[in-house]
Amino acid sequence: MSTGDLHLALRVDPAPDSDAGLVRVTLTVSNSGAEPIAPGVFGSELLVNGEPDPSWRLAMNGSVEPELVELPPGRSAELVRDLRVSGLRAGPNEFVVRIGDVQSDAAVLDLR
């Protein structure tokens, strides 16, 4: 889901070449407007099964592409982080990223 010119897409997979506790979170931010926007990824929040996950905030300390700070019109940029997410459980886990009032559709990772 999205509002205005900012659109969010989320993908969650087991992190490659790692133990079962790490997941790879890929957030794609898109600007459908005619002007550059500041997507606000540093103020974003990852919800796992409806609860905020603190590892996402810590992951924002890493470097990001310039487009994630100021996204040109008609462009998209990706943020990829491998995280040790708290609150994971056996079975399906629902992930959502929220930036202000814009929220991604849920991504589901089924852990067996």
Side-chain angles (χ1 to χ4, degrees):
M1 294 186 294
S2 62
T3 60
D5 297 334
L6 177 63
H7 304 269
L8 305 176
L10 185 65
R11 190 177 76 238
V12 180
D13 302 292
D17 303 321
S18 70
D19 62 56
L22 285 178
V23 296
R24 174 161 289 171
V25 178
T26 304
L27 173 65
T28 303
V29 296
S30 301
N31 178 0
S32 64
E35 299 293 326
I37 60 172
V41 294
F42 293 108
S44 63
E45 183 173 44
L46 176 69
L47 303 174
V48 180
N49 300 318
E51 297 295 324
D53 186 81
S55 66
W56 183 253
R57 295 266 183 190
L58 294 173
M60 292 300 105
N61 291 329
S63 63
V64 299
E65 297 297 322
E67 290 84 7
L68 290 167
V69 177
E70 184 174 329
L71 187 59
R75 299 278 307 270
S76 295
E78 272 191 351
L79 175 67
V80 179
R81 295 290 191 258
D82 290 346
L83 306 172
R84 187 165 307 279
V85 175
S86 63
L88 290 178
R89 58 183 181 234
N93 291 270
E94 184 177 279
F95 294 76
V96 171
V97 168
R98 182 170 48 209
I99 299 176
D101 62 353
V102 180
Q103 183 170 301
S104 70
D105 287 334
V108 177
L109 178 64
D110 196 356
L111 297 177
R112 305 247 174 225

